[in-house]
């Protein structure tokens, strides 16, 4: 193949630049059509608190200030007094597998963590050449995790659409997001935990007021939900990846059916009573992951949404009812690449994790990172 001359190479570079600008214009045009605008300021001071990580997935902070996080390769790690412990608290081994979108995912600390040391985790494993997920409880003492106890097991899982978020709700129960694992028919199968949001006790028991007696299923009809957050009125919101566009932010109702794979976005089918999203991406793609409501600072009341494909932090303002989005802004546009987690600490800081080393992004120097966003004064 002949080598391009410097003049020819310059022409090629200009062509790529022009094409890039055209694509950016069309993307912005689509966002404006959807009522979504770029924001020139994020209203935050940003600090990198850890870097050179392996796909950090979930974050939780204890009352004594220790920041615990998962890496998808199986490491449970901690940052204490602003310093990353070089040694993991625990590293999962087979049958644990880090394959596709699986690995060590969700994390939540017990409400009484400082007294009982309990931490809740979700990870994928292989058995008889099939992939599953499980939710476990472990105990942390002296920065070492041990005593793995399985709370929920044999959740059907593929290499993709794993879900993986764990949160403890205002009612004290564990809420878990589970994707359809690549088998879309499971999302409407009430007897399968796949394609669902699940709710269990911190001991693995089934809450007596779950909508389907004896079942951990709390809501159904999801493709790949990856975020959970409650607003000040204890209303539960979830983020979900669509198939081709139509990513969603939903209000979760006990026993609610959110339509996948029968409908996506705002679609309706006569005879079905599927719950529509409060916000959806239309034909665009966000790939929303972790979500958190800001309870203070300049973004108070807004739902902050980390996006993977979108590579922005979305800030959604709702009306007083919380059921209608009145404004959506894009923050950190193009600054840190793919964003996975969005977590609010007790001091009002927002913690984000990047996900640029997962094979779908373009790693920046030092990736992957954990970022701390502190409200600007």
């Amino acid at each position: 193949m002949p080598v391009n001359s410097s003049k020819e190479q310059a022409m090629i570079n200009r062509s790529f630049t022009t094409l890039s600008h055209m694509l950016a214009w069309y993307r912005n045009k689509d966002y404006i059509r959807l009522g979504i605008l770029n924001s020139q300021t994020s209203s935050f001071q940003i600090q990198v608190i850890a870097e050179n990580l392996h796909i950090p997935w979930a974050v939780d902070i204890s009352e004594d200030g220790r920041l615990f996080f998962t890496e998808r390769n199986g490491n449970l790690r901690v940052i204490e007094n602003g310093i990353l412990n070089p040694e993991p608290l625990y590293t999962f081994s087979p049958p644990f597998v880090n394959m596709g979108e699986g690995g060590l995912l969700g994390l939540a600390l017990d409400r009484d963590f400082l007294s009982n040391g309990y931490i809740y985790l979700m990870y994928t494993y292989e058995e008889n050449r099939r992939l599953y997920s499980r939710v476990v409880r472990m105990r942390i003492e002296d920065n070492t995790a041990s005593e793995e106890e399985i709370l929920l097991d044999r959740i059907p899982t593929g290499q993709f659409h794993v879900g993986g978020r764990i949160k403890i709700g205002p009612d004290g129960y564990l809420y878990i997001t589970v994707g359809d694992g690549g088998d879309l028919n499971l999302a409407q199968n009430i007897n399968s935990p796949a394609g669902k949001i699940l709710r269990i006790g911190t001991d693995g028991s089934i809450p007596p007021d779950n909508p389907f007696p004896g079942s951990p299923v709390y809501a159904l009809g999801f493709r790949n939900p990856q975020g959970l957050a409650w607003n000040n009125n204890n209303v539960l919101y979830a983020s979900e990846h669509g198939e081709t566009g139509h990513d969603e932010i939903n209000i979760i109702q006990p026993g609610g059916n959110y339509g996948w794979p029968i409908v996506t976005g705002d679609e309706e089918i006569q005879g079905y009573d599927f719950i529509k999203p409060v916000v959806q991406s239309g034909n665009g793609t966000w790939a929303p992951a972790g979500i958190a409501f800001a309870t203070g600072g300049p973004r108070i009341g807004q739902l902050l949404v980390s996006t993977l494909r979108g590579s922005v932090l979305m800030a959604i303002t709702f009306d007083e009812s919380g059921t209608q989005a009145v404004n959506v802004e894009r923050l950190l546009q193009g600054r840190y690449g793919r964003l996975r987690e969005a977590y609010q600490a007790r001091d009002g800081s927002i913690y984000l994790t990047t996900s640029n080393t997962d094979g779908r992004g373009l790693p920046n120097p030092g990736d992957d990172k954990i970022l701390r966003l502190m409200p600007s004064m």
Side-chain angles (χ1 to χ4, degrees):
M1 180 177 293
V3 177
N4 293 319
S5 68
S6 58
K7 183 176 181 180
E8 290 172 330
Q9 188 61 51
M11 292 176 63
I12 292 172
N13 291 342
R14 284 196 297 272
S15 296
F16 275 111
T17 300
T18 301
L19 178 60
S20 176
H21 289 168
M22 289 176 64
L23 290 173
W25 182 85
Y26 278 109
R27 284 195 295 268
N28 287 336
K29 180 182 178 184
D30 191 45
Y31 272 104
I32 293 169
R33 179 181 61 80
L34 294 169
I36 301 175
L37 304 175
N38 289 318
S39 178
Q40 298 303 316
T41 174
S42 65
S43 305
F44 292 108
Q45 297 176 347
I46 303 173
Q47 175 186 14
V48 177
I49 66 167
E51 57 186 355
N52 297 312
L53 305 176
H54 184 88
I55 316 176
W57 213 93
V59 166
D60 203 352
I61 301 177
S62 61
E63 291 183 359
D64 61 5
R66 284 179 290 170
L67 185 151
F68 297 86
F69 68 95
T70 56
E71 291 179 302
R72 216 166 69 185
N73 64 354
N75 291 329
L76 172 62
R77 307 189 67 179
V78 64
I79 297 172
E80 190 170 8
N81 297 320
I83 299 174
L84 173 65
N85 189 330
E87 297 298 323
L89 305 183
Y90 191 85
T91 298
F92 286 87
S93 57
F96 166 86
V97 291
N98 172 24
M99 186 181 298
E101 294 175 354
L104 181 57
L105 306 175
L107 170 156
L109 300 177
D110 193 272
R111 285 182 169 182
D112 298 317
F113 173 76
L114 293 186
S115 59
N116 63 26
Y118 283 144
I119 186 171
Y120 306 92
L121 302 158
M122 182 172 175
Y123 67 83
T124 57
Y125 67 97
E126 187 174 22
E127 180 179 288
N128 297 325
R129 299 185 178 181
R130 298 192 64 178
L131 296 178
Y132 299 93
S133 295
R134 61 169 52 131
V135 177
V136 302
R137 179 171 69 180
M138 300 185 75
R139 188 187 300 274
I140 293 180
E141 186 175 6
D142 297 328
N143 276 349
T144 300
S146 60
E147 302 179 29
E148 180 179 348
E149 177 185 359
I150 297 174
L151 303 183
L152 193 62
D153 203 5
R154 297 182 67 81
I155 299 170
T157 300
Q159 292 194 43
F160 308 101
H161 310 171
V162 181
R165 191 67 58 189
I166 300 177
K167 294 287 185 179
I168 296 180
D171 54 13
Y173 289 119
L174 283 173
Y175 290 76
I176 304 135
T177 71
V178 182
D180 65 18
D183 185 349
L184 52 83
N185 294 315
L186 295 180
Q188 291 294 322
N189 182 351
I190 196 62
N191 295 314
S192 172
K196 312 293 191 301
I197 291 176
L198 309 178
R199 179 179 184 246
I200 62 173
T202 53
D203 59 356
S205 61
I206 304 300
D209 60 344
N210 268 13
F212 305 101
S215 171
V217 173
Y218 190 71
L220 67 150
F222 300 99
R223 180 177 180 268
N224 191 17
Q226 285 199 11
L228 294 171
W230 287 262
N231 69 6
N232 288 334
N233 295 319
N234 292 338
V235 176
L236 175 58
Y237 293 72
S239 64
E240 181 181 7
H241 292 201
E243 184 176 22
T244 53
H246 302 289
D247 298 320
E248 298 179 3
I249 303 296
N250 288 293
I251 294 178
I252 304 304
Q253 301 177 14
N257 190 330
Y258 292 80
W260 175 256
I262 301 171
V263 298
T264 60
D266 290 332
E267 290 179 334
E268 293 183 351
I269 295 181
Q270 188 173 0
Y272 290 89
D273 189 23
F274 297 128
I275 300 174
K276 292 183 178 182
V278 291
V279 182
Q280 60 114 0
S281 67
N283 293 326
T285 301
W286 303 330
I291 62 177
F293 273 98
T295 58
R299 299 289 172 181
I300 186 169
Q302 292 182 326
L303 180 65
L304 303 178
V305 181
S306 285
T307 67
L308 296 160
R309 184 73 175 272
S311 297
V312 299
L313 180 67
M314 291 171 50
I316 305 175
T317 303
F318 292 98
D319 63 6
E320 292 185 2
S321 71
T323 61
Q324 181 73 37
V326 297
N327 188 46
V328 185
E329 297 174 75
R330 297 191 302 177
L331 313 178
L332 310 181
Q333 175 72 39
R335 292 187 62 177
Y336 297 101
R338 294 163 59 83
L339 301 178
R340 175 78 62 177
E341 171 70 296
Y343 173 91
Q344 182 181 251
R346 291 173 178 83
D347 65 0
S349 297
I350 302 296
Y351 288 81
L352 309 177
T353 66
T354 69
S355 196
N356 294 318
T357 62
D358 64 0
R360 296 181 174 178
L362 297 174
N364 297 309
D367 273 337
D368 271 318
K369 305 178 180 74
I370 298 178
L371 310 172
R372 182 188 181 199
L373 280 59
M374 299 166 288
S376 299
M377 301 303 292

